[in-house]
Amino acid sequence: HFILEHMAFVEFLLNIIKEPIFIISCIFLIISLVLIKILGKKKENVTIFFPFLVLFKSKLFNRFFQKISSKGKRLWKIWWNIGIVISFMLMIYAIYFFISNFFALIFNPQPENAIIPLIPGVTIDFPIFSYFILPILFTMSIHEFSHAIAAEIDGVKVKSSGIFGAGIFLIIGFGAFVEVDEFQLNSKNYSSKTRLRVASGGIWSNI
């Protein structure tokens, strides 16, 4: 019985090691360690809580955000203003959807009424989840870049941008982020419309 359990555990470990997401995680960790070594004194741009998080900050994309936002500012503002309206409409629909689903699940329990979160290795197999990696990276990058462009349009400073890996040994996933100057954005110098444009920019671009 002990031997069978031991063999089952070894087989489980081998299956994990063969998963594409595990291999990508290992590559990401190796690249992270190499970058940390190269950066040397610039380690303030690296946050690492092994094995849960590796985060890299950079100002590399700042010029890119400024260049895009400098062209057609009026059109950009119209675009982001449409995003505010659509985002609010979708938020109302999402609240309605979850509440109606919740009551349907209580009063008419059916498998199709259940809302199940995507948890790699628990509610979704790793091989299937591995197909989500590139789309998630692309979606998150567009989402974050849109926040940055919306901020730059209204003259709000983007402090940095970067990439991160999150999860136990980074098996959960990877993504991108931008760091907008929150103190500047929330100051009296900027209207609530500016804050709404920056906030809704990401979700609007994903739509």
Side-chain angles (χ1 to χ4, degrees), residues 35-46:
L35 282 172
I36 290 164
K37 192 74 176 173
I38 292 168
L39 285 169
K41 291 179 181 179
K42 295 181 180 178
K43 284 182 182 177
E44 66 272 8
N45 293 329
V46 180

Side-chain angles (χ1 to χ4, degrees), residues 116-126 128:
I116 302 168
L118 292 180
I119 304 170
V122 180
T123 61
I124 182 170
D125 291 337
F126 279 118
I128 296 171

Side-chain angles (χ1 to χ4, degrees), residues 14 18 22 24 38 55 63-64 91 125 138 147 168 172 194:
L14 287 171
K18 287 189 288 184
F22 180 83
I24 293 167
I38 292 168
L55 184 145
R63 195 174 290 176
F64 169 74
M91 183 178 68
D125 291 337
F138 178 76
H147 285 309
I168 300 173
I172 299 302
T194 295

Side-chain angles (χ1 to χ4, degrees), residues 9-29:
F9 180 71
V10 170
E11 191 178 347
F12 171 74
L13 285 177
L14 287 171
N15 286 334
I16 288 176
I17 291 165
K18 287 189 288 184
E19 296 297 346
I21 195 164
F22 180 83
I23 296 163
I24 293 167
S25 295
C26 290
I27 293 167
F28 186 90
L29 269 176

Side-chain angles (χ1 to χ4, degrees), residues 73-90:
K73 284 195 173 185
R74 192 160 171 268
L75 287 173
W76 273 121
K77 281 193 176 183
I78 293 168
W79 176 250
W80 300 130
N81 285 338
I82 293 168
I84 294 169
V85 177
I86 301 295
S87 296
F88 268 105
M89 287 169 66
L90 276 174

